[in-house]
Amino acid sequence: MRFPSSIFVSVSLFTAETTAALYLSSTYRSAGDQIWQGLTLLFTLVPSVLVQLTLTFIHRDLSRDRPLILLLHILQLGPIVRCLEAFCIYGSVGRVEEPYVSITRKKQMPRRGQAEEVERQVGQAEGKLFTHRAAFARTSVIQAFLGSAPQLTLQLYICVLQQGVSIGRGEGSTYDVSVCLCGTGQFYGSSTHPALLRVRHRSSTMWADQLSTLMVISLLSIVYGALRCNILAIKIKYDDYEVDVRPMAYVCIFLWRSFEIATRVVVLVLFSSVLQLWILPVVLLNFLVFFLYPWILFWQSHSPFPENIEKTLTRVGTTIVLCMLTFLYAGINMFCWSAVQVKLSDPDLINKSQNWYRMAVYYMLRFVENASLLLLWYIYKTDIYKFICAPLLVLQLLVAYAIAIFFMLVFYQFCHPCRRLFSSSMTQGLWDCSSLLCLMCSSGSPQNRPMMKEAPTPSAPKEPATQRPHDTASDSTDDMPNDTTYDMLNDTTFDTPNEMDSNIGGGINGDIRHSVPCTV
């Protein structure tokens, strides 16, 4: 049985981020910044409550007589208690012989076209530990994108406003903390008093250290949550197979998500620092599109309302759970591509097909959006950026996002644990998507639009054969109908998800051909 390291990492990040956020909020309170204090507490307590509810829901504590556990969850100590419980279960394995075991069958990765099925006995302790791992994997995603991502964006925005971008010892920070030396009974009203200057410098240094610590922990929490989301998507899609994720896959996912999320957060902060009012339409539009998209697909599929989420839930409770799921899905896609694609018409609520077309469209549109926001920031930037080389910063952010896409391609092409099960390679899928886009662009160009037929002109009398040069092609084709066509794309057939039919009308689900008559 594997050591529950993922549970320990999840609880450690949760505890560290909550502690750092509460400590920083007390600093804001001392400085009189009630708005920053309120927002910091909001992005700390709301995801903490959602984490407690998720753990209670997965472990079904409401239907069990465990009042102490429920009390600890109310006190926001649920993750710590669950972690201790998981370690106790891990330590008790092998000491007592379990009377009941279950047999699971998993397929191994196909080798030479054959997939062997292996049976394995799973005891009750291992089953409970598996439930703990699954619960903490989901809570890590919730904590990352509903708590850590907004928290990181907020604190970086405060940094930019206060010109306290220094990550080291806070030198150059201009954050002003009003200090009253009550212990000596003296109040220094002059801002140039040496004692007050020393206190201000020490206070600004402590604030910069607290802020940088919280931002680093938040970034690690987001990247770890995105990594858990990727692994969770792989295990859900390929539930019948025994999945073994190698260390190189973890490295590729970590680099991919780090560059993607960091770039996205910086772009949003830069844009909001110069156009405060316009950031709200941008965020709301992104959020509403990804929140409503699964519901639109569900409405188009004409599927019945899912009733098998939880037997004890009513229709209203099921609707609330589905809304929370799509809310989390929108929060993930706000900052990065969600590896888990929600499909409300599926019994598992997850789309288990690999949709290269949707991924390609997402990254193309996101790249264009980031470039547009950076362009607007460059046009309307203020004096606080006069010591920054703006063109170089824009180039660095765009290159960083391109590096994220590069590591994503490397992961899916070489490091994905189930790449042998892909119906088509990612390179082929993206190439076909780009070919379709090129086809659509070329069909809309003026050269390919239907032209009006010209009036027939009288043909000139043919010259005698002896007065013109000999043309073999003309001699052989003058009196024959022309049926020559050219296939512009190779006859490549690959499997695509069923839901693609409604998006592109079958343009990708088979051969993509474009025949052009050849006139000689």
Side-chain angles (χ1 to χ4, degrees):
M1 184 184 299
R2 293 185 294 109
F3 181 76
S5 58
S6 60
I7 298 177
F8 178 75
V9 174
S10 299
V11 176
S12 300
L13 289 174
F14 173 80
T15 306
E17 185 176 9
T18 304
T19 305
L22 293 177
Y23 190 54
L24 183 60
S25 65
S26 65
T27 303
Y28 288 140
R29 182 176 179 273
S30 301
D33 290 329
Q34 297 180 357
I35 296 179
W36 301 144
Q37 178 196 6
L39 291 176
T40 303
L41 291 176
L42 177 68
F43 295 141
T44 302
L45 297 180
V46 170
S48 178
V49 172
L50 294 177
V51 166
Q52 312 299 325
L53 293 176
T54 303
L55 291 175
T56 305
F57 179 78
I58 293 177
H59 290 280
R60 295 181 173 86
D61 289 325
L62 295 178
S63 59
R64 301 162 64 183
D65 188 14
R66 305 183 70 181
L68 179 60
I69 297 297
L70 293 177
L71 177 61
L72 293 174
H73 276 290
I74 293 175
L75 297 176
Q76 307 301 308
L77 298 176
I80 299 176
V81 176
R82 298 294 185 184
C83 180
L84 295 177
E85 185 179 354
F87 276 95
C88 290
I89 294 174
Y90 178 78
S92 63
V93 172
R95 295 182 180 180
V96 181
E97 184 178 358
E98 298 182 0
Y100 301 102
V101 295
S102 59
I103 299 176
T104 60
R105 293 180 176 88
K106 294 284 186 179
K107 297 179 182 179
Q108 293 183 344
M109 286 296 110
R111 296 179 179 178
R112 298 178 181 178
Q114 297 180 355
E116 298 181 357
E117 195 174 54
V118 179
E119 293 184 355
R120 193 168 65 90
Q121 294 182 354
V122 179
Q124 291 182 349
E126 189 173 356
K128 293 179 181 179
L129 200 58
F130 176 79
T131 304
H132 280 287
R133 285 197 181 98
F136 276 100
R138 287 156 176 82
T139 57
S140 296
V141 178
I142 294 174
Q143 174 67 24
F145 294 101
L146 298 184
S148 301
Q151 188 76 268
L152 176 61
T153 307
L154 172 67
Q155 303 306 326
L156 187 58
Y157 178 74
I158 296 173
C159 252
V160 172
L161 289 187
Q162 298 293 343
Q163 300 180 11
V165 194
S166 176
I167 301 299
R169 297 298 301 170
E171 289 145 5
S173 175
T174 60
Y175 188 73
D176 189 11
V177 181
S178 301
V179 179
C180 178
L181 302 179
C182 301
T184 59
Q186 299 177 355
F187 179 78
Y188 297 100
S190 176
S191 60
T192 59
H193 195 282
L196 184 56
L197 290 177
R198 287 194 298 270
V199 173
R200 282 184 174 177
H201 178 71
R202 185 165 57 251
S203 301
S204 62
T205 302
M206 292 175 57
W207 170 78
D209 290 339
Q210 297 171 18
L211 190 61
S212 59
T213 301
L214 179 58
M215 286 194 297
V216 170
I217 296 175
S218 298
L219 181 59
L220 291 177
S221 177
I222 302 171
V223 175
Y224 180 75
L227 188 146
R228 297 307 307 173
C229 185
N230 276 91
I231 303 302
L232 186 64
I234 293 173
K235 292 184 177 181
I236 292 176
K237 292 178 181 179
Y238 305 99
D239 186 49
D240 297 335
Y241 290 87
E242 187 175 354
V243 179
D244 183 21
V245 184
R246 299 182 179 274
M248 188 56 64
Y250 283 107
V251 172
C252 284
I253 297 175
F254 183 83
L255 294 175
W256 161 27
R257 295 305 192 179
S258 299
F259 281 101
E260 181 180 9
I261 294 170
T263 304
R264 178 64 175 170
V265 171
V266 173
V267 169
L268 291 177
V269 169
L270 291 177
F271 179 76
S272 61
S273 65
V274 295
L275 297 171
Q276 288 86 356
L277 296 179
W278 286 99
I279 190 61
L280 294 178
V282 172
V283 172
L284 290 178
L285 180 62
N286 274 271
F287 193 85
L288 288 177
V289 166
F290 289 108
F291 179 80
L292 297 176
Y293 182 67
W295 292 101
I296 294 175
L297 293 181
F298 175 71
W299 176 71
Q300 291 179 346
S301 64
H302 301 287
S303 301
F305 189 79
E307 301 285 354
N308 57 345
I309 297 179
E310 182 65 30
K311 295 180 180 179
T312 59
L313 291 178
T314 60
R315 180 176 285 266
V316 176
T318 303
T319 305
I320 294 175
V321 172
L322 293 178
C323 289
M324 291 302 300
L325 179 63
T326 51
F327 186 85
L328 176 61
Y329 176 73
I332 296 174
N333 283 280
M334 176 69 67
F335 294 93
C336 66
W337 164 257
S338 176
V340 177
Q341 294 294 307
V342 176
K343 186 179 181 181
L344 300 179
S345 59
D346 191 89
D348 295 330
L349 304 178
I350 301 298
N351 187 1
K352 298 182 179 180
S353 59
Q354 194 67 46
N355 197 325
W356 304 122
Y357 178 80
R358 188 181 300 175
M359 180 183 291
V361 170
Y362 173 87
Y363 275 101
M364 284 189 293
L365 293 180
R366 185 64 78 199
F367 187 86
V368 172
E369 182 192 6
N370 289 340
S372 303
L373 296 181
L374 287 174
L375 179 61
L376 292 174
W377 167 79
Y378 182 77
I379 295 174
Y380 296 101
K381 65 181 184 297
T382 56
D383 293 337
I384 62 176
Y385 299 105
K386 61 183 179 180
F387 298 110
I388 298 176
C389 183
L392 181 60
L393 180 59
V394 172
L395 180 62
Q396 288 176 344
L397 291 174
L398 295 179
V399 170
Y401 200 79
I403 292 175
I405 297 177
F406 169 76
F407 281 112
M408 180 198 68
L409 296 175
V410 171
F411 169 72
Y412 279 105
Q413 188 70 26
F414 303 105
C415 302
H416 196 286
C418 303
R419 61 186 181 277
R420 298 177 182 177
L421 302 176
F422 290 165
S423 56
S424 63
S425 65
M426 184 179 186
T427 306
Q428 183 64 35
L430 296 179
W431 173 256
D432 290 327
C433 292
S434 61
S435 300
L436 178 64
L437 293 176
C438 293
L439 215 64
M440 294 171 60
C441 295
S442 62
S443 62
S445 60
Q447 290 82 358
N448 293 335
R449 293 177 183 174
M451 304 293 293
M452 297 182 61
K453 293 184 178 180
E454 299 179 356
T457 56
S459 57
K462 293 184 178 181
E463 298 178 359
T466 57
Q467 297 180 2
R468 64 176 180 176
H470 181 71
D471 191 350
T472 307
S474 300
D475 292 343
S476 59
T477 58
D478 277 342
D479 300 327
M480 296 177 60
N482 191 358
D483 294 332
T484 307
T485 59
Y486 292 102
D487 197 0
M488 297 187 66
L489 294 178
N490 295 331
D491 297 342
T492 304
T493 305
F494 59 95
D495 298 332
T496 54
N498 296 330
E499 70 272 14
M500 292 289 291
D501 299 343
S502 61
N503 294 337
I504 56 175
I508 296 183
N509 289 333
D511 298 341
I512 304 177
R513 297 171 181 266
H514 187 66
S515 299
V516 180
C518 175
T519 57
V520 181

